[in-house]
Amino acid sequence: LEALQRWVAEQAADEELSAELSENFRASASAEAALLMLEAEEAALTELERVLSDRLEALNRAHAEAEARRTQVYKDYRESLACVRSAKRRRGPREASNGS
């Protein structure tokens, strides 16, 4: 009878240990799956950062070019305006009012 009781107790302990091991395996598998997902997300975010950085650099270049064009256009406008004003002064006030 004692041997049977020991055997039943050992079986219960084995089942408990087996359940604990199964839970540990499940937790380990879940952690590994989560880690793989995080690694994939990290790779995707790294790629997104590279793409956005490239876009930012392109936008910065385009902005610098637009600013240079704006500066040149404004300079050309000021020069043209100065030429027109100079021509009006040379013609005199009477010719300027009759010519317009």
Side-chain angles (χ1 to χ4, degrees):
L1 184 63
E2 264 183 51
L4 183 59
Q5 288 175 338
R6 268 195 314 262
W7 183 81
V8 169
E10 287 173 3
Q11 289 299 316
D14 286 348
E15 286 178 17
E16 187 177 317
L17 182 58
S18 177
E20 188 178 322
L21 285 172
S22 293
E23 180 59 32
N24 285 344
F25 284 135
R26 277 192 290 277
S28 178
S30 292
E32 188 174 341
L35 179 61
L36 290 173
M37 287 181 64
L38 286 173
E39 288 173 349
E41 288 177 7
E42 179 186 23
L45 289 172
T46 299
E47 176 63 13
L48 179 60
E49 178 187 25
R50 186 194 64 75
V51 167
L52 291 176
S53 179
D54 291 348
R55 285 185 187 173
L56 179 60
E57 288 176 20
L59 287 171
N60 284 340
R61 283 191 303 274
H63 179 262
E65 291 168 4
E67 183 64 23
R69 281 193 306 275
R70 183 199 65 82
T71 300
Q72 186 59 47
V73 166
Y74 185 70
K75 180 182 172 193
D76 293 346
Y77 163 76
R78 298 290 294 172
E79 288 173 0
S80 296
L81 186 61
C83 287
V84 168
R85 286 181 178 163
S86 176
K88 282 185 178 181
R89 275 190 233 112
R90 282 191 303 251
R91 286 192 323 204
R94 212 177 70 192
E95 284 184 51
S97 62
N98 289 340
S100 296

